[in-house]
Amino acid sequence: MILGHAARPLRGHGTIGSVTLQDSAFLRACRRQPVPHTPVWFMRQAGRSLPEYRKLREGVAMLDACSRPDMIAEITMQPVRRYGVDAAIFFSDIMVPLKAVGVDLDIRPGVGPVVAEPVRDLADVRRLRDLEPDDVPYVTEAVGGLVAELGDRPLIGFAGAPFTLASYLIEGGPSKHHEHTKALMYGAPDVWAELMRRLAALTLEFLRVQIAAGASAVQLFDSWVGALSAEDYRASVLPYSAWIFERLAGFDVPRIHFGVGTGELLGLLSEAGADVVGVDWRVPLDRAVQRVRPDTALQGNLDPAVLFAPWSVVAERTDDVLARAEAADGHVFNLGHGVLPTTDPAVLERLVEYVHTRTAV
Ligand code: CP3
């Protein structure tokens, strides 16, 4: 299904309520417009660091939780209520669209995604079919309900990027070295290209479903792409991520692109077409500014491990992130990667308030 601009539902756009949604600090920062305060959200803000999340998830498998609109909505709202973050991120997982097209996979606690039959040849790749909106009705339903509940607070939709999805599919699970992935990429470029084409189409459709239901920004997670050299990224990954960003351009929804260990790749992640580049904690934001395209906002980048240090250290490091971010045109405060499961929720709550106070104009 191709959704043109005109075909896009008006929920949250062009209606009276949309004036404040479109004027929210988060969307304004993504668009590099002046903000009343630096907006804050946290990657993996919904999840195991929250006792109310653990309670709700008792006896419910991760992928089952991701297919129940009532659970999706409640878990998405939990960090919004507790932390007062400037944006909600849809509760799901990057593996959900793969599961929805019939890939036999599970998400195991403490391990991550595990794929029963890893993808290794063309026949395996050809079994991967396209995603249709009807494959994920629970996503459409949950996003629609959340957008109504969130009002002028933006909902961020997301998907895994083709490389990171390919790595899980080919390795069969989490991987430190991505050796089978690289073996396929180097040794069977035609199979690689076909796999990346199919994953790009799946990712685009998963994002379009969320946008059509009212998500007002999207983040493409290429979490493990830092395993690649810039040359390999440019030749074997960038074209597919760029294809996705290009097709999202007409939706007027800010596009965020994030990966871990991507210091050497920031320029290319930006070149792929993002409006906002997410930076991990290894590259100071004032240096990151010099690596991305002009007219690109930055998101990041406090080291999530810093939240385990005394508050005075958290405050000092946060001040440093904010000071360096002044070099950027637009800044969305976030961690340099996801919230670690044993993080104290009280520290995250205090951090949101701290960033808001320090940056209030
Ligand atoms: O950010 C949010 O709060 C929204 C929800 C979200 C989840 N996964 C929920 C989740 C998002 C945005 C993701 C994305 C995701 N999933 C990524 C990209 C982000 C990143 O961290 O780099 C990746 C690589 C995955 C794959 C995945 N799913 C991993 C590595 C794990 C952790 C496994 C573990 O238990 O250590 C998951 C499971 C997962 N996804 C959990 C949550 C809340 C934990 C499952 C649980 O609570 O039982």
Side-chain angles (χ1 to χ4, degrees), residues 38-345:
T38 298
V40 187
W41 71 279
F42 303 118
M43 292 184 278
R44 298 288 190 98
Q45 64 191 18
R48 289 165 302 170
S49 59
L50 288 177
E52 58 268 36
Y53 168 79
R54 286 196 296 268
K55 188 155 182 285
L56 194 67
R57 278 285 318 283
E58 259 168 37
V60 184
M62 177 64 189
L63 285 169
D64 290 338
C66 292
S67 62
R68 288 175 47 178
D70 57 334
M71 273 217 165
I72 297 173
E74 172 57 22
I75 298 171
T76 301
M77 291 307 293
Q78 285 176 347
V80 175
R81 288 187 209 116
R82 194 191 263 252
Y83 302 135
V85 280
D86 293 88
I89 180 157
F90 183 61
F91 178 77
S92 188
D93 193 82
I94 58 169
M95 303 305 282
V96 163
L98 288 168
K99 177 82 179 175
V101 298
V103 177
D104 185 357
L105 66 91
D106 190 18
I107 296 183
R108 304 220 177 116
V111 178
V114 177
V115 176
E117 293 170 41
V119 169
R120 295 286 164 84
D121 59 27
L122 195 57
D124 296 337
V125 171
R126 288 199 171 132
R127 277 194 285 275
L128 206 59
R129 70 162 174 86
D130 280 347
L131 180 78
E132 304 287 340
D134 285 351
D135 293 319
V136 286
Y138 43 87
V139 172
T140 300
E141 186 184 333
V143 170
L146 277 163
V147 168
E149 188 173 349
L150 283 160
D152 57 12
R153 204 175 313 228
L155 179 71
I156 303 168
F158 75 92
F163 176 82
T164 292
L165 294 179
S167 169
Y168 281 116
L169 283 178
I170 297 167
E171 305 292 339
S175 168
K176 197 167 171 196
H177 302 293
H178 307 277
E179 59 270 39
H180 299 293
T181 309
K182 290 184 184 183
L184 192 94
M185 193 175 102
Y186 298 135
D190 293 350
V191 179
W192 176 259
E194 185 58 24
L195 174 60
M196 293 295 275
R197 266 196 295 273
R198 287 182 189 228
L199 290 174
L202 178 110
T203 291
L204 175 66
E205 194 54 40
F206 191 55
L207 292 171
R208 271 205 298 229
V209 166
Q210 296 170 66
I211 294 170
S216 48
V218 287
Q219 176 154 326
L220 190 67
F221 282 97
D222 213 349
S223 299
W224 311 138
V225 81
L228 296 180
S229 69
E231 290 71 20
D232 287 342
Y233 179 83
R234 185 188 284 284
S236 306
V237 176
L238 188 144
Y240 307 97
S241 295
W243 182 89
I244 296 167
F245 281 122
E246 227 171 83
R247 276 152 190 80
L248 292 173
F251 288 102
D252 191 28
V253 161
R255 300 157 296 174
I256 312 171
H257 198 183
F258 170 77
V260 184
T262 49
E264 292 297 324
L265 300 179
L266 284 177
L268 293 172
L269 287 186
S270 169
E271 198 179 311
D275 303 297
V276 184
V277 170
V279 183
D280 84 1
W281 65 92
R282 294 172 180 89
V283 183
L285 293 181
D286 51 341
R287 206 169 306 157
V289 169
Q290 297 161 359
R291 297 185 185 178
V292 300
R293 294 185 306 182
D295 301 336
T296 302
L298 294 183
Q299 177 174 280
N301 72 342
L302 185 70
D303 183 345
V306 164
L307 302 181
F308 292 75
W311 174 256
S312 59
V313 178
V314 178
E316 188 187 313
R317 295 296 185 105
T318 300
D319 286 342
D320 185 60
V321 169
L322 293 173
R324 292 177 187 276
E326 280 172 25
D329 233 356
H331 178 223
V332 175
F333 188 92
N334 206 314
L335 303 177
H337 195 188
V339 172
L340 297 168
T342 53
T343 306
D344 178 357

